[in-house]
Amino acid sequence: GNTHFGCAVATSGTWMAVGAETQAGDGEKAGAVYTYEYSEGRWRQGKRLSSGNPGDELGASVDLTDEWLVAGAPRDGAQEVGRAHVFQHDGTSWLTSPSQTLTSGASEWDRFGWAVSIYGDTLVVGAPNAHGYGVEQAGLAYLYRRDAQGTWTLSQTLGPGILGGHLWFGQAVVVGYSWGSDWALIGAPGQSCVYVYRRDPSTGVYGQFKTFQPSGPRSRCGPTTPWCSRPGPHTSIATTETMTRGRCGPGSPPRTSR
């Protein structure tokens, strides 16, 4: 059957990770993440990572650094609460069992883990179907920080700037460093809006900095003044190798009514 190999991809250093959310190796739709290492001019397949739980759809989202890999399992559980599994690199290869499973704040049908991003000691997980501020499918994003012992702990919960349902805040997330600051970007396609957060270096707290959205009469990013921007051009990326594991296919959108 279709494993949805390629539903999510990420790369860091010499490593690449590819999600296959409906891979059935550990039970029906358990999902998996395939790792590849670039060596001697070619990509070589490494270990296959899994949670071992049928129905998880692990690998629906994936991101990694040289030491940590996070993979979302947004349909984990009978009521699609969702989880994010964190895997660690031991200096030689990836450990095949998760070192930690993140679930903080998630409840039924949230689809926690629909989107994930990791950079340095910060990790963000999107739950686009969450009842943000008590409103159906407003969406939330969860920020985790890693301590000196390697444990990831919830530090902040971010939500949309308006009270409204079906905003799907957290359907896309990214965290990183640029122009001397740490940033977190959270997409809310139900608003046609992207929220930009900047980390305060003195407190470590991410505060809302700006919002982006296409200009137009339906713009409603929230209480802050929108910084409107037209979408930029798309970039084509040429590939030199094709990784195959099952057939490629689209995943299901999160816009499912509760």
Side-chain angles (χ1 to χ4, degrees):
N2 192 341
T3 65
H4 287 180
F5 178 90
C7 64
V9 293
T11 184
S12 178
T14 61
W15 288 98
M16 176 172 64
V18 181
E21 62 183 354
T22 57
Q23 173 71 41
D26 295 304
E28 185 178 359
K29 294 186 177 180
V33 175
Y34 291 84
T35 63
Y36 295 85
E37 184 176 18
Y38 191 78
S39 176
E40 299 178 350
R42 61 175 295 183
W43 290 98
R44 303 175 187 275
Q45 185 172 329
K47 292 182 178 179
R48 180 173 68 87
L49 313 180
S50 67
S51 66
N53 299 323
D56 269 10
E57 297 198 7
L58 179 77
S61 58
V62 65
D63 198 14
L64 77 163
T65 65
D66 292 345
E67 185 180 1
W68 300 92
L69 184 153
V70 56
R75 291 189 173 87
D76 174 80
Q79 295 176 311
E80 300 187 6
V81 173
R83 296 184 182 185
H85 298 279
V86 182
F87 299 83
Q88 189 171 10
H89 194 276
D90 65 4
T92 303
S93 62
W94 294 99
L95 302 178
T96 56
S97 297
S99 63
Q100 193 172 347
T101 297
L102 308 178
T103 60
S104 297
S107 58
E108 60 182 25
W109 309 112
D110 280 2
R111 292 186 179 171
F112 177 93
W114 188 271
V116 297
S117 181
I118 185 171
Y119 177 82
D121 62 358
T122 304
L123 185 159
V124 61
V125 182
N129 276 13
H131 275 49
Y133 308 127
V135 182
E136 183 177 358
Q137 294 184 354
L140 293 170
Y142 299 85
L143 275 164
Y144 293 82
R145 300 298 301 276
R146 177 172 52 86
D147 63 22
Q149 288 71 44
T151 300
W152 295 90
T153 304
L154 181 66
S155 63
Q156 278 184 259
T157 302
L158 307 177
I162 66 171
L163 290 176
H166 302 92
L167 305 179
W168 301 298
F169 180 94
Q171 184 172 330
V173 301
V174 66
V175 64
Y177 180 86
S178 180
W179 293 99
S181 296
D182 291 294
W183 303 91
L185 280 66
I186 314 295
Q191 289 180 267
S192 298
C193 185
V194 174
Y195 289 81
V196 181
Y197 298 84
R198 182 167 63 181
R199 182 171 177 257
D200 184 329
S202 62
T203 65
V205 174
Y206 282 81
Q208 187 172 325
F209 178 72
K210 290 286 186 180
T211 56
F212 284 91
Q213 63 183 152
S215 58
R218 296 183 181 274
S219 299
R220 55 186 188 98
C221 264
T224 59
T225 303
W227 182 12
C228 294
S229 174
R230 294 185 179 276
H234 296 288
T235 302
S236 298
I237 301 175
T239 59
T240 56
E241 295 186 57
T242 301
M243 309 295 178
T244 59
R245 177 68 59 179
R247 293 180 296 134
C248 297
S252 302
R255 304 180 184 184
T256 302
S257 299
R258 293 174 182 264

